[in-house]
């Protein structure tokens, strides 16, 4: 799963070789519907944060969260999916994992 995140973080390049079309990767991590900015081409987006975040989400709580500016990939393997609150677009645990990693990164500054 981390390799998938790295492939997208590097816009389709793997070990210096382009294996996915970079234009496709760029389009897939951009909102595709004007009225719904939280979803690209099969990729979840969180446009309400100060830094760019996109992620893959499995139905059993699996995540591959990519923070391009920090060059960080978060992988979470799961057995059950998190519930999406009525007032949010993403499960609560997504925000928890993201916040905890951002705290760890700020400790290293």
């Amino acid at each position: 799963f981390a390799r998938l995140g790295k492939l997208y973080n590097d816009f389709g390049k793997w070990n210096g070789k382009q294996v996915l079309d970079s234009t496709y990767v760029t389009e897939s991590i951009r909102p595709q519907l004007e009225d719904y900015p939280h979803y690209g081409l099969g990729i979840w987006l969180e446009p309400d944060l100060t830094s760019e975040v996109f992620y893959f989400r499995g139905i059993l709580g699996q995540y591959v969260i990519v923070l391009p500016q920090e060059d960080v990939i978060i992988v979470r393997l799961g057995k059950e999916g998190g519930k999406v609150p009525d007032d949010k677009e993403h499960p609560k645990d997504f925000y928890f994992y993201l916040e905890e990693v951002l705290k760890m990164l700020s400790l290293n500054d």
Side-chain angles (χ1 to χ4, degrees), residues 16-96:
K17 181 180 178 185
Q18 196 74 42
V19 295
L20 285 179
D21 185 296
S22 62
T23 304
Y24 172 79
V25 174
T26 300
E27 275 302 303
S28 70
I29 58 175
R30 300 288 174 249
Q32 298 300 308
L33 301 173
E34 223 174 275
D35 297 338
Y36 194 70
H38 297 278
Y39 203 65
L41 295 173
I43 312 288
W44 287 97
L45 312 170
E46 180 43 277
D48 300 329
L49 300 174
T50 56
S51 64
E52 184 181 7
V53 174
F54 60 88
Y55 72 102
F56 305 90
R57 179 172 87 203
I59 62 170
L60 297 177
Q62 306 94 331
Y63 293 98
V64 177
I65 304 169
V66 180
L67 300 121
Q69 284 93 359
E70 289 82 9
D71 198 28
V72 169
I73 299 154
I74 304 163
V75 175
R76 194 267 183 183
L77 304 177
K79 289 187 178 181
E80 61 182 66
K83 297 198 186 242
V84 178
D86 291 337
D87 63 334
K88 300 280 185 188
E89 298 298 325
H90 309 286
K92 281 195 238 181
D93 57 345
F94 161 75
Y95 294 103
F96 172 77

Coordinates of all heavy atoms in Angstrom, one line a residue, residues 16-96:
G16 N 12.5 6.5 -11.0 CA 12.9 7.3 -12.1 C 12.2 7.0 -13.4 O 12.4 7.7 -14.4
K17 N 11.4 5.9 -13.5 CA 10.8 5.5 -14.7 C 9.3 5.9 -14.6 O 8.6 5.5 -13.6 CB 11.0 4.0 -14.9 CG 10.3 3.5 -16.2 CD 10.5 2.0 -16.4 CE 9.8 1.6 -17.6 NZ 9.9 0.1 -17.8
Q18 N 8.7 6.5 -15.6 CA 7.3 6.8 -15.6 C 6.5 5.6 -16.0 O 6.6 5.0 -17.1 CB 7.1 7.9 -16.7 CG 5.7 8.6 -16.6 CD 5.7 9.6 -15.4 OE1 6.7 10.3 -15.2 NE2 4.6 9.6 -14.7
V19 N 5.7 5.1 -15.0 CA 4.9 3.9 -15.2 C 3.4 4.2 -15.2 O 2.7 3.4 -15.7 CB 5.2 2.8 -14.1 CG1 6.6 2.3 -14.2 CG2 4.9 3.3 -12.7
L20 N 3.0 5.4 -14.7 CA 1.7 5.9 -14.9 C 1.7 7.2 -15.5 O 2.7 8.0 -15.2 CB 1.0 6.0 -13.5 CG 0.5 4.8 -12.8 CD1 -0.1 5.2 -11.5 CD2 -0.5 4.0 -13.6
D21 N 0.8 7.5 -16.4 CA 0.8 8.8 -17.0 C 0.6 9.9 -16.0 O -0.3 9.9 -15.2 CB -0.4 8.9 -18.0 CG -0.4 10.1 -18.8 OD1 -0.6 11.2 -18.2 OD2 -0.3 10.0 -20.0
S22 N 1.6 10.9 -15.9 CA 1.5 11.9 -14.9 C 0.3 12.8 -15.0 O -0.2 13.3 -14.0 CB 2.8 12.8 -15.0 OG 2.9 13.4 -16.2
T23 N -0.2 13.0 -16.2 CA -1.4 13.8 -16.4 C -2.6 13.1 -15.8 O -3.4 13.7 -15.1 CB -1.7 14.0 -17.9 OG1 -0.6 14.6 -18.5 CG2 -2.9 14.9 -18.2
Y24 N -2.7 11.8 -15.9 CA -3.8 11.0 -15.3 C -3.7 11.2 -13.7 O -4.7 11.4 -13.1 CB -3.7 9.6 -15.7 CG -4.7 8.8 -14.9 CD1 -6.1 8.8 -15.2 CD2 -4.3 8.0 -13.7 CE1 -7.0 8.1 -14.4 CE2 -5.2 7.3 -13.0 CZ -6.6 7.4 -13.3 OH -7.5 6.7 -12.5
V25 N -2.5 11.0 -13.2 CA -2.3 11.1 -11.7 C -2.7 12.5 -11.3 O -3.5 12.6 -10.3 CB -0.8 10.8 -11.3 CG1 -0.6 11.1 -9.9 CG2 -0.5 9.4 -11.7
T26 N -2.3 13.5 -12.0 CA -2.6 14.9 -11.6 C -4.1 15.1 -11.6 O -4.7 15.7 -10.7 CB -2.0 15.9 -12.6 OG1 -0.5 15.7 -12.5 CG2 -2.3 17.3 -12.2
E27 N -4.8 14.6 -12.7 CA -6.3 14.7 -12.8 C -7.0 13.9 -11.7 O -8.0 14.3 -11.1 CB -6.8 14.3 -14.1 CG -6.7 15.3 -15.2 CD -7.5 16.6 -14.8 OE1 -8.7 16.5 -14.6 OE2 -6.9 17.7 -14.8
S28 N -6.4 12.8 -11.3 CA -7.1 11.9 -10.4 C -7.1 12.5 -9.0 O -7.9 12.1 -8.1 CB -6.5 10.5 -10.4 OG -5.2 10.5 -9.8
I29 N -6.2 13.4 -8.7 CA -6.1 13.9 -7.3 C -6.6 15.4 -7.3 O -6.3 16.2 -6.4 CB -4.7 13.9 -6.7 CG1 -3.7 14.6 -7.6 CG2 -4.3 12.4 -6.5 CD1 -2.3 14.7 -7.0
R30 N -7.5 15.7 -8.3 CA -8.2 17.0 -8.3 C -9.7 16.7 -8.3 O -10.1 15.7 -8.9 CB -7.8 17.7 -9.6 CG -6.4 18.0 -9.8 CD -5.9 19.1 -8.8 NE -4.5 19.4 -8.9 CZ -3.6 19.0 -7.9 NH1 -4.1 18.5 -6.8 NH2 -2.4 19.3 -8.0
P31 N -10.5 17.6 -7.7 CA -11.9 17.4 -7.7 C -12.5 17.2 -9.1 O -12.1 18.0 -10.0 CB -12.5 18.6 -7.1 CG -11.3 19.2 -6.3 CD -10.1 18.8 -7.1
Q32 N -13.4 16.3 -9.3 CA -14.0 16.1 -10.6 C -15.4 16.6 -10.8 O -15.9 16.8 -11.9 CB -14.0 14.6 -11.0 CG -12.6 13.9 -11.0 CD -11.7 14.6 -12.0 OE1 -12.1 14.7 -13.2 NE2 -10.5 15.0 -11.6
L33 N -16.0 16.9 -9.7 CA -17.4 17.4 -9.7 C -17.4 18.8 -9.0 O -16.8 19.0 -7.9 CB -18.4 16.5 -9.0 CG -18.5 15.1 -9.5 CD1 -19.3 14.2 -8.6 CD2 -19.1 15.1 -10.9
E34 N -17.9 19.8 -9.7 CA -17.9 21.1 -9.1 C -18.6 21.2 -7.8 O -18.1 21.9 -6.9 CB -18.7 22.1 -10.1 CG -18.0 23.4 -10.3 CD -18.7 24.2 -11.4 OE1 -18.4 23.9 -12.6 OE2 -19.6 25.0 -11.1
D35 N -19.7 20.5 -7.6 CA -20.4 20.6 -6.3 C -19.9 19.7 -5.2 O -20.4 19.6 -4.1 CB -21.9 20.3 -6.5 CG -22.6 21.3 -7.4 OD1 -22.0 22.4 -7.6 OD2 -23.6 20.9 -8.0
Y36 N -18.9 18.9 -5.5 CA -18.3 17.9 -4.6 C -16.8 17.9 -4.7 O -16.2 17.1 -5.4 CB -18.9 16.5 -4.8 CG -18.7 15.6 -3.7 CD1 -19.3 15.7 -2.5 CD2 -17.8 14.5 -3.8 CE1 -19.1 14.9 -1.4 CE2 -17.5 13.7 -2.7 CZ -18.2 13.9 -1.6 OH -18.0 13.0 -0.5
P37 N -16.1 18.7 -3.9 CA -14.7 18.8 -4.0 C -13.9 17.8 -3.2 O -12.7 17.8 -3.1 CB -14.4 20.2 -3.4 CG -15.5 20.4 -2.4 CD -16.7 19.7 -3.0
H38 N -14.6 16.8 -2.7 CA -13.9 15.8 -1.8 C -13.6 14.5 -2.6 O -13.1 13.5 -1.9 CB -14.8 15.4 -0.6 CG -15.0 16.6 0.3 ND1 -14.1 17.0 1.2 CD2 -16.1 17.5 0.3 CE1 -14.6 18.1 1.8 NE2 -15.7 18.4 1.3
Y39 N -13.7 14.4 -3.9 CA -13.5 13.2 -4.6 C -12.9 13.5 -6.0 O -13.4 14.3 -6.7 CB -14.8 12.4 -4.7 CG -14.5 10.9 -4.9 CD1 -14.0 10.1 -3.9 CD2 -14.9 10.3 -6.1 CE1 -13.8 8.8 -4.1 CE2 -14.7 8.9 -6.3 CZ -14.2 8.2 -5.3 OH -14.0 6.8 -5.4
G40 N -11.8 12.8 -6.3 CA -11.2 12.9 -7.6 C -11.6 11.7 -8.4 O -12.8 11.3 -8.4
L41 N -10.7 11.1 -9.1 CA -10.9 9.9 -9.9 C -10.6 8.7 -9.1 O -9.5 8.1 -9.2 CB -10.1 9.9 -11.2 CG -10.4 11.0 -12.2 CD1 -9.4 10.9 -13.4 CD2 -11.9 10.8 -12.7
G42 N -11.5 8.3 -8.2 CA -11.2 7.1 -7.3 C -10.3 7.5 -6.1 O -9.9 6.6 -5.3
I43 N -10.0 8.7 -5.9 CA -9.2 9.2 -4.8 C -9.9 10.2 -4.0 O -10.6 11.1 -4.5 CB -7.9 9.9 -5.4 CG1 -7.2 9.2 -6.5 CG2 -7.0 10.3 -4.3 CD1 -6.5 8.0 -6.1
W44 N -9.9 10.0 -2.7 CA -10.5 10.9 -1.7 C -9.6 12.2 -1.5 O -8.4 12.0 -1.5 CB -10.8 10.3 -0.4 CG -11.9 9.3 -0.4 CD1 -11.8 7.9 -0.6 CD2 -13.3 9.6 -0.4 NE1 -13.0 7.4 -0.7 CE2 -14.0 8.4 -0.5 CE3 -14.0 10.8 -0.2 CZ2 -15.3 8.3 -0.5 CZ3 -15.4 10.7 -0.2 CH2 -16.0 9.5 -0.3
L45 N -10.2 13.3 -1.4 CA -9.5 14.6 -1.3 C -10.0 15.3 0.0 O -11.2 15.1 0.4 CB -9.8 15.5 -2.5 CG -9.6 14.8 -3.8 CD1 -10.1 15.8 -4.9 CD2 -8.1 14.5 -4.1
E46 N -9.2 16.1 0.6 CA -9.6 16.9 1.8 C -9.2 18.3 1.5 O -8.1 18.7 1.9 CB -9.0 16.3 3.1 CG -9.4 17.1 4.3 CD -10.9 17.6 4.4 OE1 -11.2 18.6 3.8 OE2 -11.7 16.9 5.0
P47 N -10.0 19.1 0.8 CA -9.6 20.4 0.4 C -9.7 21.5 1.5 O -9.2 22.6 1.3 CB -10.7 20.8 -0.7 CG -11.9 20.0 -0.4 CD -11.3 18.7 0.2
D48 N -10.3 21.1 2.7 CA -10.5 22.1 3.7 C -9.3 22.2 4.7 O -9.3 22.9 5.7 CB -11.7 21.7 4.6 CG -13.0 21.7 3.7 OD1 -13.0 22.5 2.7 OD2 -13.9 20.9 3.9
L49 N -8.2 21.5 4.4 CA -7.0 21.6 5.2 C -6.0 22.6 4.6 O -6.1 23.0 3.4 CB -6.3 20.2 5.3 CG -7.2 19.1 5.9 CD1 -6.5 17.8 5.8 CD2 -7.5 19.5 7.4
T50 N -5.0 23.0 5.4 CA -4.0 24.0 4.9 C -3.0 23.4 3.9 O -2.5 24.1 3.1 CB -3.3 24.7 6.1 OG1 -2.7 23.7 6.9 CG2 -4.3 25.5 6.9
S51 N -2.7 22.1 4.1 CA -1.8 21.5 3.1 C -2.5 20.4 2.3 O -3.5 19.9 2.8 CB -0.6 20.9 3.8 OG -0.9 19.9 4.7
E52 N -2.0 20.1 1.2 CA -2.7 19.1 0.3 C -2.6 17.7 0.9 O -1.6 17.3 1.4 CB -2.0 19.1 -1.1 CG -2.6 18.2 -2.1 CD -1.9 18.2 -3.4 OE1 -0.8 18.8 -3.5 OE2 -2.5 17.6 -4.3
V53 N -3.8 17.1 0.8 CA -3.9 15.7 1.3 C -4.8 15.0 0.3 O -5.9 15.5 -0.1 CB -4.5 15.6 2.7 CG1 -4.8 14.2 3.1 CG2 -3.7 16.3 3.7
F54 N -4.4 13.8 -0.1 CA -5.3 12.9 -0.8 C -5.1 11.5 -0.3 O -4.0 11.2 0.3 CB -5.1 13.0 -2.3 CG -3.7 12.7 -2.8 CD1 -3.4 11.4 -3.2 CD2 -2.8 13.6 -3.0 CE1 -2.2 11.0 -3.7 CE2 -1.5 13.3 -3.5 CZ -1.2 12.0 -3.8
Y55 N -6.1 10.6 -0.5 CA -5.9 9.3 0.1 C -6.9 8.3 -0.6 O -7.9 8.6 -1.2 CB -6.2 9.3 1.6 CG -7.6 9.5 2.1 CD1 -8.3 8.4 2.5 CD2 -8.1 10.8 2.1 CE1 -9.6 8.6 3.0 CE2 -9.4 11.0 2.6 CZ -10.1 9.9 3.1 OH -11.4 10.1 3.5
F56 N -6.4 7.0 -0.5 CA -7.2 5.9 -0.9 C -7.8 5.3 0.4 O -7.2 5.3 1.5 CB -6.3 4.8 -1.5 CG -5.5 5.3 -2.6 CD1 -4.2 5.8 -2.4 CD2 -5.9 5.2 -3.9 CE1 -3.4 6.3 -3.4 CE2 -5.2 5.6 -5.0 CZ -3.9 6.2 -4.7
R57 N -9.1 4.9 0.3 CA -9.8 4.4 1.5 C -10.5 3.1 1.1 O -11.3 3.0 0.2 CB -10.8 5.4 2.0 CG -11.6 5.0 3.2 CD -12.4 6.1 3.7 NE -13.7 6.2 3.0 CZ -14.5 7.3 2.9 NH1 -14.0 8.4 3.4 NH2 -15.6 7.3 2.3
G58 N -10.2 2.0 1.9 CA -10.8 0.7 1.7 C -12.0 0.6 2.6 O -12.2 1.3 3.6
I59 N -12.9 -0.3 2.3 CA -14.2 -0.4 3.1 C -14.0 -1.0 4.5 O -14.9 -0.9 5.3 CB -15.3 -1.3 2.3 CG1 -14.8 -2.7 2.1 CG2 -15.6 -0.6 1.0 CD1 -15.8 -3.6 1.6
L60 N -12.8 -1.6 4.7 CA -12.6 -2.2 6.1 C -11.6 -1.3 6.9 O -10.9 -1.8 7.7 CB -12.1 -3.6 5.9 CG -13.1 -4.6 5.3 CD1 -12.5 -5.9 5.1 CD2 -14.3 -4.6 6.1
G61 N -11.5 0.0 6.6 CA -10.7 0.9 7.4 C -9.2 0.9 6.9 O -8.4 1.4 7.6
Q62 N -8.9 0.5 5.7 CA -7.6 0.6 5.2 C -7.4 2.1 4.6 O -8.4 2.6 4.0 CB -7.3 -0.3 4.0 CG -7.6 -1.8 4.4 CD -9.0 -2.2 4.0 OE1 -9.9 -1.5 3.9 NE2 -9.1 -3.5 3.7
Y63 N -6.3 2.6 4.8 CA -6.0 4.0 4.3 C -4.6 4.0 3.7 O -3.6 3.4 4.3 CB -6.0 5.0 5.4 CG -7.3 5.3 6.0 CD1 -7.7 4.7 7.2 CD2 -8.2 6.1 5.4 CE1 -8.9 4.9 7.8 CE2 -9.5 6.3 6.0 CZ -9.8 5.7 7.2 OH -11.0 5.9 7.7
V64 N -4.4 4.8 2.7 CA -3.1 5.2 2.1 C -3.3 6.7 2.0 O -4.0 7.2 1.1 CB -2.8 4.6 0.8 CG1 -1.4 5.1 0.3 CG2 -2.7 3.0 0.9
I65 N -2.7 7.4 3.0 CA -2.9 8.9 3.0 C -1.6 9.5 2.6 O -0.5 9.1 3.1 CB -3.2 9.3 4.5 CG1 -4.5 8.6 5.0 CG2 -3.4 10.9 4.5 CD1 -4.7 8.8 6.5
V66 N -1.6 10.4 1.6 CA -0.5 11.0 1.1 C -0.5 12.5 1.4 O -1.5 13.2 1.1 CB -0.4 10.8 -0.5 CG1 0.9 11.5 -1.1 CG2 -0.4 9.3 -0.8
L67 N 0.6 13.0 1.9 CA 0.9 14.4 2.2 C 2.0 14.9 1.4 O 3.2 14.8 1.8 CB 1.2 14.6 3.7 CG 0.1 14.2 4.7 CD1 0.6 13.1 5.6 CD2 -0.5 15.3 5.4
P68 N 1.8 15.3 0.1 CA 2.8 15.6 -0.8 C 3.9 16.7 -0.3 O 5.1 16.5 -0.5 CB 2.1 16.1 -2.0 CG 0.7 15.7 -1.9 CD 0.5 15.6 -0.4
Q69 N 3.4 17.8 0.3 CA 4.4 18.8 0.7 C 5.3 18.3 1.8 O 6.5 18.7 1.8 CB 3.6 20.0 1.3 CG 3.0 20.9 0.2 CD 1.6 20.5 0.0 OE1 1.0 19.6 0.6 NE2 0.9 21.2 -1.0
E70 N 4.9 17.3 2.6 CA 5.8 16.8 3.6 C 6.5 15.5 3.1 O 7.3 15.0 3.9 CB 4.9 16.4 4.9 CG 4.5 17.6 5.7 CD 3.2 18.2 5.1 OE1 2.6 17.6 4.2 OE2 2.8 19.3 5.5
D71 N 6.1 15.0 2.0 CA 6.7 13.8 1.4 C 6.5 12.6 2.4 O 7.4 11.9 2.7 CB 8.2 14.0 1.1 CG 8.7 12.9 0.1 OD1 7.9 12.4 -0.7 OD2 9.9 12.6 0.2
V72 N 5.2 12.5 2.9 CA 4.9 11.5 3.8 C 3.7 10.7 3.3 O 2.8 11.2 2.7 CB 4.5 12.2 5.2 CG1 3.9 11.2 6.1 CG2 5.7 12.8 5.8
I73 N 3.8 9.4 3.6 CA 2.7 8.5 3.2 C 2.4 7.7 4.5 O 3.2 7.2 5.2 CB 3.2 7.5 2.1 CG1 3.5 8.2 0.9 CG2 2.1 6.4 1.9 CD1 4.5 7.6 0.0
I74 N 1.1 7.7 4.8 CA 0.6 7.0 6.0 C -0.2 5.8 5.5 O -1.1 6.0 4.7 CB -0.4 8.0 6.8 CG1 0.3 9.3 7.2 CG2 -0.9 7.3 8.0 CD1 -0.6 10.4 7.6
V75 N 0.1 4.7 6.1 CA -0.7 3.5 5.7 C -1.3 2.9 7.0 O -0.7 2.8 8.0 CB 0.3 2.4 5.1 CG1 -0.5 1.1 4.9 CG2 0.9 2.9 3.8
R76 N -2.6 2.6 6.9 CA -3.3 2.0 8.0 C -4.0 0.8 7.4 O -4.8 0.9 6.5 CB -4.3 2.9 8.6 CG -4.8 2.5 9.9 CD -6.1 1.8 9.8 NE -6.6 1.5 11.2 CZ -7.7 0.8 11.4 NH1 -8.4 0.3 10.4 NH2 -8.1 0.5 12.6
L77 N -3.7 -0.4 7.9 CA -4.5 -1.6 7.5 C -5.6 -1.9 8.6 O -5.3 -1.6 9.7 CB -3.5 -2.8 7.5 CG -2.3 -2.6 6.5 CD1 -1.4 -3.9 6.6 CD2 -2.8 -2.4 5.1
G78 N -6.7 -2.3 8.2 CA -7.8 -2.4 9.1 C -8.7 -3.6 8.9 O -8.6 -4.3 8.0
K79 N -9.5 -3.8 9.9 CA -10.5 -4.9 9.9 C -11.9 -4.4 9.9 O -12.8 -5.2 9.6 CB -10.3 -5.8 11.1 CG -9.0 -6.6 11.1 CD -9.0 -7.5 12.2 CE -7.7 -8.4 12.2 NZ -7.6 -9.3 13.2
E80 N -12.1 -3.1 10.2 CA -13.5 -2.6 10.1 C -13.4 -1.1 9.7 O -12.4 -0.4 10.1 CB -14.3 -2.8 11.4 CG -13.7 -2.1 12.6 CD -14.5 -2.4 13.8 OE1 -14.6 -3.5 14.3 OE2 -15.1 -1.4 14.4
G81 N -14.3 -0.6 9.0 CA -14.3 0.8 8.5 C -14.8 1.7 9.6 O -15.6 1.4 10.4
G82 N -14.3 2.9 9.5 CA -14.7 4.0 10.4 C -16.0 4.6 9.9 O -16.3 4.6 8.7
K83 N -16.8 5.1 10.8 CA -18.1 5.7 10.4 C -17.8 7.2 10.0 O -17.0 7.9 10.6 CB -19.1 5.6 11.5 CG -19.4 4.2 11.9 CD -20.6 4.1 12.7 CE -20.8 2.7 13.1 NZ -21.9 2.0 12.7
V84 N -18.6 7.6 9.0 CA -18.5 9.0 8.5 C -19.6 9.8 9.2 O -20.8 9.5 9.1 CB -18.7 9.1 7.0 CG1 -18.7 10.5 6.5 CG2 -17.7 8.2 6.2
P85 N -19.2 10.8 10.0 CA -20.2 11.6 10.7 C -21.0 12.4 9.7 O -20.6 12.7 8.6 CB -19.3 12.6 11.5 CG -17.9 12.0 11.6 CD -17.8 11.2 10.3
D86 N -22.2 12.7 10.1 CA -23.2 13.4 9.2 C -22.6 14.8 8.7 O -22.9 15.2 7.6 CB -24.5 13.7 9.9 CG -25.3 12.4 10.1 OD1 -25.0 11.4 9.4 OD2 -26.1 12.3 11.0
D87 N -21.8 15.4 9.5 CA -21.3 16.8 9.2 C -19.9 16.7 8.5 O -19.3 17.8 8.2 CB -21.3 17.7 10.4 CG -20.3 17.2 11.4 OD1 -20.0 16.0 11.5 OD2 -19.8 18.0 12.2
K88 N -19.4 15.5 8.1 CA -18.1 15.4 7.5 C -18.2 14.6 6.3 O -19.2 13.9 6.0 CB -17.1 14.7 8.5 CG -16.9 15.5 9.8 CD -15.9 16.6 9.6 CE -15.6 17.2 10.9 NZ -14.9 18.4 10.8
E89 N -17.2 14.6 5.5 CA -17.1 13.8 4.3 C -16.2 12.6 4.5 O -16.2 11.7 3.6 CB -16.5 14.6 3.1 CG -17.3 15.9 2.7 CD -18.7 15.5 2.2 OE1 -18.8 14.5 1.6 OE2 -19.6 16.3 2.5
H90 N -15.5 12.5 5.6 CA -14.5 11.5 5.8 C -14.7 10.9 7.2 O -15.2 11.6 8.1 CB -13.1 12.0 5.7 CG -12.8 12.8 4.4 ND1 -12.7 12.2 3.2 CD2 -12.7 14.2 4.2 CE1 -12.5 13.2 2.3 NE2 -12.5 14.3 2.9
P91 N -14.3 9.6 7.4 CA -14.4 9.0 8.7 C -13.6 9.7 9.8 O -12.6 10.3 9.5 CB -13.9 7.6 8.5 CG -14.0 7.4 7.0 CD -13.8 8.7 6.4
K92 N -14.1 9.6 11.0 CA -13.4 10.3 12.1 C -11.9 9.8 12.2 O -11.0 10.5 12.5 CB -14.1 10.0 13.4 CG -15.3 10.9 13.7 CD -15.7 10.7 15.1 CE -17.1 10.3 15.3 NZ -17.5 10.1 16.6
D93 N -11.7 8.5 12.0 CA -10.4 7.9 12.2 C -9.4 8.5 11.2 O -8.2 8.6 11.5 CB -10.4 6.4 12.2 CG -11.0 5.7 11.0 OD1 -11.6 6.4 10.2 OD2 -10.7 4.5 10.9
F94 N -9.9 8.9 10.0 CA -9.0 9.5 9.0 C -8.4 10.8 9.6 O -7.2 11.0 9.5 CB -9.7 9.9 7.7 CG -9.1 10.9 6.9 CD1 -8.0 10.6 6.1 CD2 -9.6 12.2 6.9 CE1 -7.3 11.6 5.3 CE2 -8.9 13.2 6.1 CZ -7.8 12.9 5.3
Y95 N -9.2 11.6 10.2 CA -8.7 12.8 10.9 C -7.8 12.5 12.0 O -6.8 13.2 12.2 CB -9.9 13.7 11.3 CG -10.7 14.2 10.2 CD1 -12.0 13.7 9.9 CD2 -10.3 15.3 9.4 CE1 -12.7 14.1 8.8 CE2 -11.1 15.7 8.3 CZ -12.3 15.2 8.1 OH -13.0 15.6 7.0
F96 N -8.1 11.5 12.8 CA -7.2 11.1 13.9 C -5.8 10.8 13.4 O -4.8 11.3 13.9 CB -7.8 10.0 14.7 CG -6.9 9.4 15.7 CD1 -6.8 10.1 16.9 CD2 -6.2 8.2 15.5 CE1 -5.9 9.6 17.9 CE2 -5.4 7.7 16.5 CZ -5.2 8.4 17.7

